Amino acid sequence: MTDIPGLDGLLGIEHVETGPDKVVVRFTIDERHLQPFGIPHGGVYCAVHESTASVAGLLWLNGKGVAVGTNNSTDFLRQAKLGDVITTTATPIHRGRTQQLWHLDSVDEDGKLIAQGQVRLANLEQEVPPEALAHFAGIDPA
């Protein structure tokens, strides 16, 4: 586990780069990422994609609300294996007043595309938990 709260912490996600125009995360495939057949579960990529896009959307909103997933479309292109380090990058396709659309690529150490997707986010006018903004943006919540 990492110091990141929620599912990301359980999955061992590490934030490599966080900003309003790009978020990069990394994790290593281990037993907790496998389906019963011993291969990585596709839901891991879906969860990482949605979470990574949501962090990017939150940072782009810059404290003026939260971004929540409304659609997640992830294609699984290549099978990773135990020990593979997966890097996921979120970049914006569209960012507007009420919604955002983010593109996500998950690649292995050799840069081979493992999964690719899009996540649509709704922008909600809701108070941002100060600790969340501080954690992902390095902003002092005080």
Side-chain angles (χ1 to χ4, degrees):
M1 283 187 29
T2 67
D3 65 339
I4 298 172
L7 183 58
D8 279 6
L10 292 173
L11 293 175
I13 303 303
E14 171 194 0
H15 285 87
V16 177
E17 178 181 343
T18 57
D21 298 317
K22 179 167 81 168
V23 170
V24 180
V25 304
R26 178 173 46 219
F27 64 101
T28 301
I29 299 289
D30 63 29
E31 289 77 15
R32 68 189 142 174
H33 302 110
L34 303 181
Q35 52 177 253
F37 315 115
I39 61 175
H41 195 294
V44 170
Y45 300 108
C46 292
V48 171
H49 284 186
E50 185 162 335
S51 181
T52 305
S54 294
V55 168
L58 172 78
L59 294 175
W60 182 73
L61 287 171
N62 196 28
K64 296 178 181 132
V66 297
V68 298
T70 59
N71 189 56
N72 183 332
S73 175
T74 300
D75 294 306
F76 316 112
L77 305 170
R78 175 177 275 111
Q79 182 179 315
K81 60 187 180 313
L82 278 174
D84 281 353
V85 176
I86 306 300
T87 301
T88 299
T89 303
T91 54
I93 296 170
H94 167 78
R95 296 179 291 189
R97 184 177 52 80
T98 61
Q99 64 181 347
Q100 303 179 47
L101 183 62
W102 289 81
H103 174 84
L104 295 110
D105 284 329
S106 289
V107 300
D108 65 13
E109 303 100 319
D110 297 325
K112 292 182 180 175
L113 194 58
I114 303 295
Q116 184 176 57
Q118 289 187 47
V119 173
R120 181 174 302 282
L121 304 170
N123 300 332
L124 302 181
E125 292 181 23
Q126 180 176 319
E127 186 174 332
V128 179
E131 60 278 0
L133 198 54
H135 182 83
F136 294 115
I139 296 170
D140 182 4

